[in-house]
Amino acid sequence: MSDAARLKSTIYVGGLENAVTEKLLADAFLPFGEIVDVTLPKPDLPSSKDPHRGFGYIEFELEGDAKEAIDNMDQSEFFGRVIRVAAAKPQKDSNEGLGSKTAVWETEGWIAKHGGVSAEERLGTQQAQNATTPEDAMTGLEIDVAGPHL
């Protein structure tokens, strides 16, 4: 299965109670289709006592099963909490977005997408440079004495 197909058949489940395990999550979503994988990401800090970060991913065998799970389980109650179920988004590269160590405008695609000057802006700049501006009336005048004459 290609990465694009895997992404389309993977859902995000957020707002999970700490008591939820991979098995419990799989059991809750099993009615919607064959489950390939269940992942509950662990906390970043090793000192954390939480078993997971409050969200997880479920990969289904078929894309239609994932859509069915989203339609039926989004905003439902699971272990006393209202959970959010949505299509999973592709994982960002560590050099992109919040938490990266590179400024957003230094990333390769950002300048091409946001920093390029449009043809209209370029034309307006050229016209402004080519237009003759009226000379300032005060240019070239020399004042020998400043202040009031006594």
Side-chain angles (χ1 to χ4, degrees):
M1 187 183 287
S2 71
D3 286 342
R6 287 185 71 196
L7 184 62
K8 288 182 179 180
S9 63
T10 303
I11 61 171
Y12 161 87
V13 182
L16 297 175
E17 171 65 41
N18 282 340
V20 174
T21 64
E22 289 178 356
K23 170 127 178 56
L24 290 170
L25 196 57
D27 290 345
F29 283 83
L30 191 59
F32 303 107
E34 186 69 30
I35 294 175
V36 176
D37 187 33
V38 177
T39 306
L40 292 173
K42 303 289 183 215
D44 290 336
L45 297 174
S47 62
S48 177
K49 304 279 189 240
D50 296 331
H52 54 79
R53 294 168 58 186
F55 65 91
Y57 298 98
I58 302 171
E59 181 183 345
F60 286 92
E61 185 72 33
L62 303 172
E63 179 183 343
D65 295 341
K67 288 181 180 179
E68 190 73 22
I70 292 168
D71 291 342
N72 286 287
M73 295 295 284
D74 188 34
Q75 300 301 313
S76 65
E77 189 174 326
F78 188 61
F79 274 75
R81 286 192 174 179
V82 176
I83 58 172
R84 181 176 186 274
V85 182
K89 295 179 182 174
Q91 187 174 7
K92 288 188 177 181
D93 187 14
S94 61
N95 295 345
E96 294 180 20
L98 295 175
S100 77
K101 294 180 178 29
T102 307
V104 67
W105 52 87
E106 289 181 6
T107 57
E108 207 169 296
W110 191 88
I111 291 180
K113 185 175 179 182
H114 297 91
V117 178
S118 71
E120 293 174 356
E121 291 174 338
R122 232 180 283 122
L123 182 62
T125 303
Q126 287 174 351
Q127 288 175 346
Q129 290 173 348
N130 293 340
T132 56
T133 56
E135 190 174 316
D136 186 11
M138 297 302 288
T139 304
L141 295 179
E142 298 289 330
I143 299 177
D144 291 338
V145 180
H149 294 286
L150 297 173

